[in-house]
Amino acid sequence: MDDVADGDRRAPGVALCLQAQRRAVAEPHQHTSRTGPAVAARPTLLYNEVIFVVYQRDVRTMGETLRVGFIGVGDMGGPIAGRIIAAGFPTTLWSRRPQSLARFADDTYTAAASKAELGAASDVVGLCVFGDADVLEVTLGAGGVLEGMAAGSVLLIHSTNAAEVSQQVAAEAAKRGIQVLDAPVSGASGGAEAGTLTIMTGGEQAAFERALPVMRSYGRLIRLLGPVGSGQRMKVLNNALTHSTGQLGIIAIQTGMQLGLDPVAVVDVLRSGSAQSFSLNNLITRLVPDPEFVEHARTMMTKDVGLYLAVCEQAGLEPTEIHKLATLRAAEPAPQFLADAIGHTLGAPYSSVPTPMA
């Protein structure tokens, strides 16, 4: 692309935006002032035009229309796939349970008959399944997605799994000329639906740049943290801190009750003041009202804490308060005393305090 400066390592759409803005400053139009010589005026219309160009470049990169495949259309993967389709990328989906694709009945996409078929139809493949075994089965198992993917394509592992698993998949993919980014996400299903996820990636710069237009359709903050495995290490640190923050919230509510304060008022204040957090709001609005979801959360938290401890042990780090608090939270995500104290208020809209996004 002629108008992109040498050494600009950003995605083509981003580089185009920056170059256009530089031209707006370097080549302003002139107008004559009544009180002096000609002065420069920045053409604001150019910025509107740039936004349009960037959107177009997201789907078409260097003249190539990126074809996207996605596997794992559950609570997180489903909204992500929906955002990809809505952004205009030709999209192929595969699911173990065909009924999982019913949510896309009104969307334009192709349903693949197999994982390998999906891989063959895609330049970028996103994967959002539960854990290590699932990632390995979908990628390296018989008929796995890597069997169909062509050299030069990119695999995005959005699952939260061991860093070593991402590295194992990347090593096998490299033999086929396929690049891998471990790219776990944060922001919950609401963030996926809104396209505001945080995406933590590990891998090569070239793979990051190639896949970035796709990730921008569902991510707001997207960072490359280092080689393959770095995204997973960042994710488990993020999750451990999230769980430990939730445990501090539980302790704070319990302390308030022990001080003789009204528990409903305590929760309202904590959720609206400087102590508010995603973890606290999720505890009150999602976990306390839904005991069945608590068991799912316990499974996820236990997995996260185990991955975090393993990463720290591999780095020779001693357990910190983060690990201790996160472990307590995983054991009891929503203590019964909370339901007893404030559960009666949660049938109707509990508070006017908005729930912030992670």
Side-chain angles (χ1 to χ4, degrees):
M1 193 163 64
D2 294 338
D3 59 346
V4 177
D6 291 340
D8 198 330
R9 303 293 291 173
R10 298 172 179 84
V14 176
L16 180 61
C17 175
L18 293 176
Q19 292 301 313
Q21 288 179 334
R22 291 189 190 108
R23 286 200 303 275
V25 174
E27 302 172 12
H29 72 267
Q30 301 288 320
H31 73 271
T32 302
S33 169
R34 294 182 180 179
T35 59
V39 296
R42 183 177 301 176
T44 56
L45 179 60
L46 180 56
Y47 290 87
N48 295 330
E49 293 171 344
V50 169
I51 294 172
F52 172 78
V53 172
V54 171
Y55 174 79
Q56 294 296 318
R57 298 293 297 203
D58 276 354
V59 180
R60 295 183 61 84
T61 302
M62 299 299 288
E64 172 194 19
T65 298
L66 289 173
R67 303 167 303 156
V68 183
F70 206 88
I71 296 175
V73 291
D75 289 343
M76 286 296 293
I80 291 174
R83 295 285 305 189
I84 293 170
I85 294 170
F89 293 98
T91 305
T92 302
L93 305 176
W94 179 88
S95 177
R96 287 190 181 95
R97 296 179 294 110
Q99 60 267 34
S100 298
L101 302 180
R103 66 188 300 164
F104 305 103
D106 296 329
D107 296 318
T108 300
Y109 73 95
T110 300
S114 67
K115 299 182 289 291
E117 180 181 298
L118 179 144
S122 308
D123 302 302
V124 176
V125 173
L127 180 64
C128 193
V129 293
F130 178 71
D132 295 357
D134 302 289
V135 170
L136 292 173
E137 187 271 326
V138 169
T139 57
L140 304 182
V145 68
L146 289 182
E147 290 187 10
M149 294 177 69
S153 54
V154 179
L155 174 66
L156 299 171
I157 302 177
H158 288 313
S159 308
T160 300
N161 52 260
E164 294 77 16
V165 169
S166 295
Q167 292 166 338
Q168 180 183 348
V169 173
E172 291 300 318
K175 298 175 183 177
R176 301 170 178 263
I178 301 166
Q179 295 179 300
V180 171
L181 290 173
D182 61 315
V185 299
S186 179
S189 57
E193 292 168 357
T196 58
L197 291 174
T198 295
I199 309 176
M200 301 149 269
T201 68
E204 296 294 327
Q205 181 77 29
F208 179 79
E209 291 180 359
R210 182 161 170 76
L212 184 58
V214 178
M215 292 189 287
R216 283 166 59 199
S217 69
Y218 50 90
R220 178 172 58 190
L221 179 71
I222 307 167
R223 290 290 183 267
L224 179 63
L225 291 137
V228 174
S230 300
Q232 298 295 348
R233 295 186 180 96
M234 182 69 245
K235 177 61 189 294
V236 297
L237 172 59
N238 177 82
N239 284 11
L241 179 58
T242 298
H243 303 330
S244 63
T245 301
Q247 183 62 25
L248 286 174
I250 292 171
I251 294 171
I253 296 169
Q254 186 174 41
T255 301
M257 293 171 62
Q258 292 169 342
L259 292 173
L261 305 176
D262 175 63
V264 174
V266 167
V267 170
D268 269 335
V269 170
L270 292 177
R271 291 181 63 209
S272 63
S274 58
Q276 64 178 297
S277 68
F278 169 80
S279 298
L280 180 59
N281 280 282
N282 189 59
L283 170 69
I284 300 304
T285 62
R286 187 78 191 273
L287 293 175
V288 174
D290 191 351
E292 291 185 6
F293 184 73
V294 169
E295 292 310 309
H296 172 70
R298 192 193 315 276
T299 299
M300 299 298 291
M301 290 179 185
T302 300
K303 168 192 165 187
D304 291 340
V305 171
L307 289 171
Y308 174 71
L309 181 59
V311 164
C312 291
E313 288 179 344
Q314 291 162 9
L317 303 179
E318 294 293 327
T320 64
E321 292 303 316
I322 291 177
H323 175 252
K324 296 173 185 176
L325 289 166
T327 300
L328 289 172
R329 180 75 197 284
E332 197 170 12
Q336 183 60 41
F337 82 84
L338 288 174
D340 295 340
I342 65 173
H344 65 284
T345 70
L346 302 181
Y350 162 63
S351 171
S352 60
V353 180
T355 301
M357 188 60 60

